[in-house]
Amino acid sequence: MAEGRGLAVTLCSERFGSGTARGCRAAADGSLQWEAGAWRWWGLSGAFSVKLAGRDGGRGGTPGTASSPLSGLLAVFLPQGFPDSVSPDYLPYQLWDSVQAFASSLSGALATQAVLLGIGVGDAKASVSAATATWLVKDSTGMLGRIIFAWWKGSKLDCNAKQWRLFADILNDVAMFLEIMAPVLPICFTITVCTSNLAKCIVSVAGGATRAALTMHQARRNNMADVSAKDSSQETLVNLAGLLVSLLMLPLVSDCPSVSLGCFFFLTALHIYANYRAVRALVMETLNEGRLWLILKHFLQKGEVLSPTSANQMEPLWTDQVQVVLSQTAGPETVLRAATHGLVLGALQGDGPLPGELEELRNQMWAGPEKDSWAIVKETHQVLDKLFPKFLKGLQDAGWKTEKHQLEVDEWRATWPLSPEKKML
């Protein structure tokens, strides 16, 4: 290579994740010189020189500058490949989730202090055996509650992860309030702390299950383990910060119950607000009943399909249910169509605008004598034969994942013989 060309020739370039690309040029002495800049593995940046084999025995180069502290910190607490390896809503959700975890940590410290005071810590007259018995009863009650709640609602937590996440955190606040109030009524102390621990165990089941569902949503490179591990690291850091603040806070409020209670109410309000903002920041691309109803209603009224971002912002945090009988061969698309059919039947009872054929059918229902309910089902099924393919294509074009869903479906299936007079649903 000519000496006069110096570093003019770019041989290749590299880029870490979505960072800025940097080039590799051939130096006059035959070495490779990396441009300063891009965020690399473990946050390495700056010049990095490597000698060409044969020039000086193949000596390797060394990093020219120290790694960026911020880049190293991000590598510790964020999934590899961030932000491309996670969903677009990852960062806002995690920020608000960290705020709620910090507030919950401080509230938990106040509640723990109250429980320890109630069982007699610091009281010379307190019985160790009585305190131990109270603690064992409290724990056993929570264990039974955990098993029963997992059996009762475990299969439904995926369908409405946002709602159950918000429910779990509100219930956690209620449980901590019971713990703070437990020492006020010593006669009911055992019952109060048992009820509180029962609620906390329900929170553990609901919170853990919904966290797993959200991890599946956030992981975009088959990296659920990495996303989950980094979420645990973030939570540990937040709890550590909460622990340090609690060590400073508790001595200041322990001698004044009114101040302690005021701090608890403030932290609870912050906790609930941060949780609300966290679930509102989520943009789920799969359909559950609430999102499907919003999209279908908008489609029937305006002929357009809402995007995942718009639908998630309007999604109700508490829903109603539509029940549909499914056949044994029903797949994801059939389930989606069946749910759409049920929601269309519900729309016929409302007063919003509908497409021509459905509007005509609703007018017949309201104007004339009562129609046979199965006749209405049959007619809406015929309308859906034309309407659903357009609706399904609109969902796919808007970015919804129709190959899977989060509609609540159990294991019951029906089998019925085909009849020439009736079309099967």
Side-chain angles (χ1 to χ4, degrees):
M1 183 178 295
E3 296 290 333
R5 298 182 65 180
L7 296 174
V9 179
T10 300
L11 299 179
C12 64
S13 63
E14 69 170 3
R15 184 181 70 176
F16 179 75
S18 59
T20 305
R22 69 174 187 172
C24 178
R25 300 172 185 267
D29 62 355
S31 64
L32 297 180
Q33 185 71 39
W34 290 100
E35 294 177 346
W39 180 21
R40 301 181 62 202
W41 182 242
W42 294 116
L44 292 177
S45 60
F48 190 89
S49 302
V50 179
K51 292 287 186 180
L52 284 173
R55 288 282 179 167
D56 58 353
R59 290 200 311 268
T62 56
T65 61
S67 61
S68 167
L70 178 59
S71 298
L73 188 65
L74 293 177
V76 171
F77 291 103
L78 293 176
Q80 178 180 334
F82 173 86
D84 298 323
S85 61
V86 293
S87 59
D89 57 10
Y90 177 85
L91 188 58
Y93 174 81
Q94 293 299 126
L95 289 175
W96 283 112
D97 186 56
S98 297
V99 173
Q100 70 84 19
F102 181 74
S104 180
S105 178
L106 297 182
S107 299
L110 294 172
T112 301
Q113 182 188 45
V115 172
L116 293 176
L117 178 65
I119 62 175
V121 173
D123 186 356
K125 298 180 181 179
S127 170
V128 175
S129 59
T132 303
T134 300
W135 206 268
L136 292 176
V137 172
K138 174 180 75 72
D139 286 350
S140 60
T141 303
M143 292 174 185
L144 290 175
R146 186 193 301 267
I147 295 172
I148 294 173
F149 181 77
W151 161 76
W152 182 36
K153 291 293 185 180
S155 61
K156 299 175 175 60
L157 299 177
D158 281 322
C159 304
N160 296 295
K162 293 182 184 181
Q163 291 83 348
W164 280 110
R165 176 60 191 269
L166 192 60
F167 165 81
D169 285 296
I170 292 176
L171 184 60
N172 189 53
D173 291 330
V174 172
M176 288 190 289
F177 176 73
L178 290 176
E179 289 180 342
I180 287 180
M181 299 304 296
V184 177
L185 297 174
I187 298 179
C188 303
F189 179 82
T190 301
I191 296 177
T192 304
V193 294
C194 286
T195 304
S196 172
N197 201 56
L198 174 63
K200 283 190 171 183
C201 286
I202 293 175
V203 169
S204 176
V205 174
T210 53
R211 178 65 255 184
L214 296 181
T215 300
M216 290 181 61
H217 159 70
Q218 292 175 332
R220 295 303 166 94
R221 289 185 179 173
N222 197 26
N223 57 340
M224 280 186 59
D226 187 27
V227 172
S228 179
K230 296 304 169 58
D231 178 71
S232 178
S233 296
Q234 295 169 24
E235 185 177 0
T236 301
L237 179 65
V238 171
N239 288 335
L240 178 60
L243 176 62
L244 296 177
V245 174
S246 297
L247 292 175
L248 299 175
M249 177 186 68
L250 291 179
L252 299 177
V253 302
S254 58
D255 295 331
C256 187
S258 60
V259 175
S260 178
L261 194 60
C263 290
F264 173 78
F265 284 134
F266 169 77
L267 293 170
T268 298
L270 177 61
H271 180 240
I272 293 175
Y273 175 74
N275 269 291
Y276 177 81
R277 291 297 301 269
V279 297
R280 280 302 184 196
L282 289 169
V283 181
M284 312 290 284
E285 294 108 346
T286 50
L287 293 166
N288 65 359
E289 186 174 331
R291 292 189 286 273
L292 179 60
W293 170 238
L294 277 174
I295 298 166
L296 179 62
K297 184 169 63 172
H298 187 85
F299 178 77
L300 293 177
Q301 294 176 355
K302 300 184 179 180
E304 301 173 349
V305 174
L306 291 171
S307 67
T309 301
S310 300
N312 276 268
Q313 290 175 351
M314 297 185 292
E315 180 185 0
L317 295 179
W318 308 108
T319 57
D320 300 326
Q321 289 188 341
V322 173
Q323 296 182 347
V324 181
V325 178
L326 298 173
S327 69
Q328 291 185 349
T329 59
E333 185 175 322
T334 303
V335 173
L336 180 59
R337 172 171 175 145
T340 303
H341 193 176
L343 293 173
V344 166
L345 290 172
L348 291 177
Q349 302 176 2
D351 55 1
L354 294 173
E357 296 183 15
L358 290 176
E359 184 69 35
E360 181 180 350
L361 180 59
R362 181 167 63 183
N363 292 336
Q364 293 176 8
M365 290 173 53
W366 287 359
E370 292 189 6
K371 257 191 173 183
D372 178 65
S373 57
W374 283 110
I376 297 174
V377 171
K378 181 179 179 180
E379 291 187 33
T380 52
H381 193 282
Q382 293 172 350
V383 173
L384 215 61
D385 286 338
K386 303 176 183 177
L387 191 67
F388 183 74
K390 180 182 177 181
F391 179 58
L392 181 63
K393 186 177 185 304
L395 289 172
Q396 295 168 345
D397 292 343
W400 292 98
K401 297 179 180 178
T402 57
E403 68 277 6
K404 58 182 179 179
H405 58 78
Q406 290 180 331
L407 297 167
E408 185 177 328
V409 179
D410 58 24
E411 297 302 313
W412 289 101
R413 295 293 185 272
T415 302
W416 51 86
L418 293 175
S419 170
E421 290 91 13
K422 295 183 180 180
K423 185 172 183 178
M424 304 309 298
L425 299 181

